[in-house]
Amino acid sequence: MNKARSNPLNTFAMHGALILYTLIALFPVFVILINSFKTRKAIFREPLALPDADSFSLIGYQTVMKQGDFFLYFQNSMIVTVASLTLVLLFGAMAAYALSEYKFRGSTLLGLYLALGIMIPIRIGTVAILEMMVASGLVNTLWALILVYTAQGLPLAVFILSEFMKQVSDDLKNAGRIDGLSEYTIFFRLVLPLVRPAMATVAVFNMIPIWNDLWFPLILAPAEETKTLTLGSQVFIGQFVTNWNAVLSALSLAILPVLVLYMIFSRQLIRGITSGAVK
Amino acid sequence: MTALSLKNVNKSFGPVHVLKDINLEVEDGEFVVFVGPSGCGKSTLLRVIAGLEDATSGEIHIAGEQVNLTPPSKRGIAMVFQSYALYPHLNVRGNMTLALKQERQPKAVIEERVAEASRMLGLEPYLDRYPSELSGGQRQRVAIGRAIVRQPKLFLFDEPLSNLDAALRMNTRIEIANLHRQLSASMIYVTHDQTEAMTLADKIVVLRDGRVEQIGSPMELYNDPANRFVAGFLGAPSMNFLPAEALNPGDPREMGIRPEDIRLEGGGPIAGRVSHVEQLGGDTNVILETPSAPLTIRLFGQHDIRAGQDARFGFDPSRAYYFDEGGQRLR
Ligand SMILES: Nc1ncnc2c1ncn2[C@@H]1O[C@H](COP(=O)(O)OP(=O)(O)OP(=O)(O)O)[C@@H](O)[C@H]1O
Ligand SMILES: [Mg+2]
């Protein structure tokens, strides 16, 4: 263990800084959570107070459950996020492997071309995307969102993953080839587990913007049966009156699944780092 | 029968010509060692034989069959890598059985071969461990075990011992020699450690810049090198080279004398000042500054020689080697 880490003063300072950061980061979440359990009056009277017998109320959650098809929105968001992440990781990893493992004419150029998407915001193409979706009849389907989010996530995924895949030992892949593994088996069984931390990073980077996005659901899939959670929650925010109880309750519910996904990925991240290396 | 034969094998990476007209025969049961300086193409040649790289031209025959177009897994070879390259997600048993499962061998055969290989290598206590839970030497043995269970016609080793410490290296070297005796399989072994090359090889192939410089048994190469490169490459400390005119005025050749062929001799022809002495107990190494070149001298036993003193040495002229300007041996 290195010296800086075993010095108690350093440990203390480090943990102090991390705890402080955690408190700051969690504070808004905490405020949302406690206020979602309070009456409207209590929210405005004392926003930072914990709900007590007097101010406790589930009115927000009741409104959310009654209004609209909340579970459907929830399900839509989940489907879109999970499907997009799966596609981004699958195609991103496959493209990255091809670019890092097989040198062919123009492979560097192709890699640069794929990475170019990182610098161009996909929303610039909204009108063209909408036209394409209309032409292909995908408007108001979840596929429209999944395809757009996959396209949006791929450039960064390819870029990050190909850097990591270059570091996977050639000997390991060659050992697999000599043992008669197919290129697909080498990719899925040997290479992917070794770049799992990078996959988790890519997943986390992509997950939050997809889950929170309002733009594309509003434009490509605003129909009642394809609304996502973020879009669905907008009914409580009016131009003149906002139903804060409902908004806060909807937000609290929306945080949960992201939290669960995040926990899954972060465990992968740690497991990937500690799994037995080649040497 | 020949286990491996290479005919005019060439390999280029784009414009870089790495292997140049390699011709080689490996007999059944032979232990062949490739040696050469770093970057001379040893690993590349091994990978071409394994099928991990395609030869640009030339023919590769393994056990009599041309295998240029055969994928690595069907060539009847097994390879041990310098970095071990164990599968991190499989335990020792899984690492050893993967290839056999891939070949769809019956369960009983797999069991039997793993049992035999782990007995030979002393791996029985570790069969359920993962590579991350093994020491370097144990990992290398697992890598060797993974090769043995396949019962290949040809073993390929790429510097298998270079990640081990000195003591372990010697033990594993002896283990590999025993293994070769027990399996009586053909083996090709890459190293740039010449002790490994001299002790293990039936036949040494010296490579330089992608060309075969000389092929022969260790003692043939040592006693009868074809050129200055081979003469200087084998033997530790390496051969001394000096212009022959230093001892024999008017002689245009270059002369080579092995350090152990020089002896203390009061009226000897080699005179100079001792610049450094290494007392090894069994041997004494002396570095001598002479007017033409510094010489390394290896004296048997212990001698009372100190740095700074003047000394005279002699040698047996019949043990001297002569080379022309191009480095070719003159006989
Ligand atoms: N994929 C490749 N592309 C281009 N050049 C390569 C490639 N692989 C090897 N080379 C070149 O081929 C030459 C021989 O490499 P090789 O790895 O066979 O050397 P080596 O004899 O095994 O050296 P070492 O003892 O350091 O392992 C080197 O000059 C290297 O730069
Ligand atoms: Mg090498």
Side-chain angles (χ1 to χ4, degrees):
Chain A
M1 186 162 291
N2 76 28
K3 226 194 213 148
R5 245 200 281 172
S6 52
N7 180 339
L9 207 70
N10 277 337
T11 318
F12 185 75
M14 200 169 71
H15 280 89
L18 289 175
I19 288 169
L20 188 70
Y21 179 77
T22 313
L23 287 182
I24 294 173
L26 284 182
F27 185 68
V29 179
F30 176 70
V31 172
I32 290 174
L33 266 180
I34 56 172
N35 282 312
S36 70
F37 287 107
K38 292 200 291 201
T39 59
R40 186 178 169 80
K41 273 216 186 78
I43 295 176
F44 283 102
R45 203 176 333 125
E46 265 183 296
L48 293 185
L50 289 169
D52 54 27
D54 220 13
S55 61
F56 182 80
S57 147
L58 286 175
I59 179 77
Y61 289 95
Q62 283 159 1
T63 321
V64 170
M65 296 302 163
K66 260 184 277 165
Q67 178 98 36
D69 205 342
F70 196 76
F71 280 107
L72 182 67
Y73 303 162
F74 201 87
Q75 193 187 328
N76 287 340
S77 270
M78 210 60 188
I79 292 175
V80 167
T81 308
V82 169
S84 309
L85 281 185
T86 312
L87 293 180
V88 165
L89 288 179
L90 181 70
F91 293 137
M94 285 165 89
Y97 185 64
L99 287 174
S100 63
E101 179 66 12
Y102 310 114
K103 288 286 158 232
F104 47 92
R105 194 182 298 267
S107 59
T108 320
L109 218 60
L110 192 61
L112 283 177
Y113 171 71
L114 286 178
L116 211 62
I118 299 171
M119 285 162 267
I120 302 171
I122 194 168
R123 289 180 188 194
I124 288 179
T126 303
V127 174
I129 290 176
L130 183 58
E131 279 170 359
M132 252 159 43
M133 294 299 172
V134 171
S136 50
L138 287 176
V139 171
N140 280 331
T141 62
L142 294 181
W143 273 112
L145 296 177
I146 294 173
L147 289 176
V148 168
Y149 291 139
T150 307
Q152 171 187 307
L154 271 177
L156 193 64
V158 172
F159 185 71
I160 294 180
L161 291 176
S162 62
E163 282 312 305
F164 273 81
M165 288 196 184
K166 275 181 200 149
Q167 289 164 21
V168 174
S169 132
D170 280 335
D171 283 356
L172 189 65
K173 292 175 261 186
N174 286 336
R177 291 191 181 114
I178 288 181
D179 278 351
L181 305 184
S182 69
E183 291 296 310
Y184 284 98
T185 319
I186 291 173
F187 172 68
F188 283 111
R189 302 289 304 279
L190 298 182
V191 176
L192 277 195
L194 288 175
V195 296
R196 218 190 264 159
M199 304 270 284
T201 313
V202 169
V204 169
F205 267 118
N206 277 301
M207 178 176 67
I208 316 281
I210 296 177
W211 184 265
N212 288 343
D213 192 30
L214 182 59
W215 182 266
F216 283 114
L218 193 58
I219 293 167
L220 298 179
E224 186 58 26
E225 65 274 18
T226 55
K227 263 186 189 161
T228 62
L229 196 53
T230 322
L231 184 55
S233 312
Q234 300 304 311
V235 297
F236 306 117
I237 300 180
Q239 195 175 357
F240 305 109
V241 225
T242 294
N243 187 343
W244 284 109
N245 296 83
V247 170
L248 293 176
S249 308
L251 281 178
S252 304
L253 289 175
I255 290 172
L256 279 176
V258 197
L259 213 62
V260 171
L261 282 181
Y262 183 81
M263 263 152 39
I264 294 174
F265 289 130
S266 62
R267 173 176 300 171
Q268 290 300 317
L269 219 151
I270 293 163
R271 204 189 289 166
I273 291 168
T274 52
S275 81
V278 179
K279 278 193 186 168
Chain B
M1 203 169 68
T2 52
L4 168 77
S5 94
L6 302 178
K7 294 199 182 100
N8 294 318
V9 169
N10 281 278
K11 172 72 191 169
S12 304
F13 292 107
V16 194
H17 198 176
V18 178
L19 297 178
K20 299 156 190 160
D21 278 329
I22 307 279
N23 286 292
L24 177 69
E25 302 263 308
V26 176
E27 300 303 325
D28 256 349
E30 208 169 23
F31 199 116
V32 175
V33 174
F34 294 171
V35 291
S38 197
C40 68
K42 306 180 294 284
S43 300
T44 309
L45 181 53
L46 211 59
R47 292 153 54 81
V48 166
I49 295 171
L52 297 169
E53 303 276 0
D54 289 327
T56 312
S57 68
E59 289 178 20
I60 305 160
H61 297 260
I62 292 178
E65 263 175 76
Q66 182 163 353
V67 293
N68 285 52
L69 300 175
T70 313
S73 57
K74 305 250 159 66
R75 290 193 177 192
I77 51 141
M79 190 156 170
V80 177
F81 296 89
Q82 179 177 358
S83 62
Y84 318 141
L86 300 178
Y87 308 121
H89 62 294
L90 296 177
N91 61 14
V92 171
R93 189 190 304 278
N95 266 281
M96 296 213 281
T97 51
L98 183 66
L100 298 178
K101 284 183 187 154
Q102 237 20 66
E103 288 171 8
R104 306 198 183 288
Q105 295 277 5
K107 248 200 170 100
V109 175
I110 298 181
E111 288 284 315
E112 187 196 313
R113 293 205 199 162
V114 169
E116 166 143 22
S118 47
R119 184 186 53 74
M120 278 166 103
L121 293 163
L123 284 173
E124 283 130 336
Y126 311 113
L127 282 177
D128 293 318
R129 291 215 201 160
Y130 284 85
S132 56
E133 301 161 349
L134 297 173
S135 74
Q138 290 163 348
R139 283 178 211 183
Q140 192 53 278
R141 290 216 297 279
V142 176
I144 295 173
R146 184 171 67 179
I148 292 177
V149 291
R150 306 191 54 195
Q151 303 190 338
K153 292 171 223 156
L154 185 62
F155 282 88
L156 306 174
F157 294 90
D158 192 355
E159 307 201 25
L161 307 186
S162 56
N163 281 336
L164 304 180
D165 65 43
L168 204 53
R169 199 182 290 192
M170 175 154 170
N171 287 340
T172 317
R173 192 172 77 212
I174 294 172
E175 233 165 79
I176 290 177
N178 284 335
L179 215 65
H180 176 235
R181 228 167 285 133
Q182 289 174 34
L183 298 173
S184 59
S186 321
M187 297 187 172
I188 297 181
Y189 187 104
V190 168
T191 180
H192 47 230
D193 180 321
Q194 54 163 299
T195 321
E196 278 171 33
M198 299 299 264
T199 52
L200 289 171
D202 295 321
K203 187 153 97 183
I204 294 183
V205 179
V206 183
L207 291 163
R208 176 168 63 152
D209 288 343
R211 255 180 237 290
V212 175
E213 291 282 319
Q214 193 175 359
I215 301 180
S217 75
M219 286 313 117
E220 268 166 35
L221 298 198
Y222 190 81
N223 294 327
D224 195 14
N227 53 42
R228 189 184 188 281
F229 177 78
V230 176
F233 194 80
L234 293 179
S238 58
M239 186 183 276
N240 295 297
F241 295 102
L242 64 168
E245 63 180 354
L247 303 172
N248 181 12
D251 191 338
R253 299 177 298 178
E254 185 169 36
M255 189 171 85
I257 317 173
R258 293 216 179 264
E260 59 268 32
D261 290 334
I262 305 179
R263 55 178 187 261
L264 266 175
E265 191 178 299
I270 305 173
R273 170 159 302 212
V274 175
S275 67
H276 184 70
V277 180
E278 291 174 340
Q279 299 278 5
L280 300 174
D283 292 334
T284 306
N285 290 341
V286 177
I287 314 290
L288 186 75
E289 294 296 335
T290 70
S292 49
L295 299 182
T296 310
I297 296 157
R298 183 172 170 197
L299 301 170
F300 189 71
Q302 300 176 3
H303 295 265
D304 184 24
I305 301 178
R306 292 216 171 72
Q309 87 181 61
D310 289 320
R312 290 193 84 88
F313 293 87
F315 65 100
D316 179 355
S318 71
R319 307 293 302 258
Y321 302 85
Y322 293 93
F323 305 95
D324 66 15
E325 279 145 53
Q328 285 309 306
R329 172 98 178 272
L330 298 167
R331 293 167 204 260

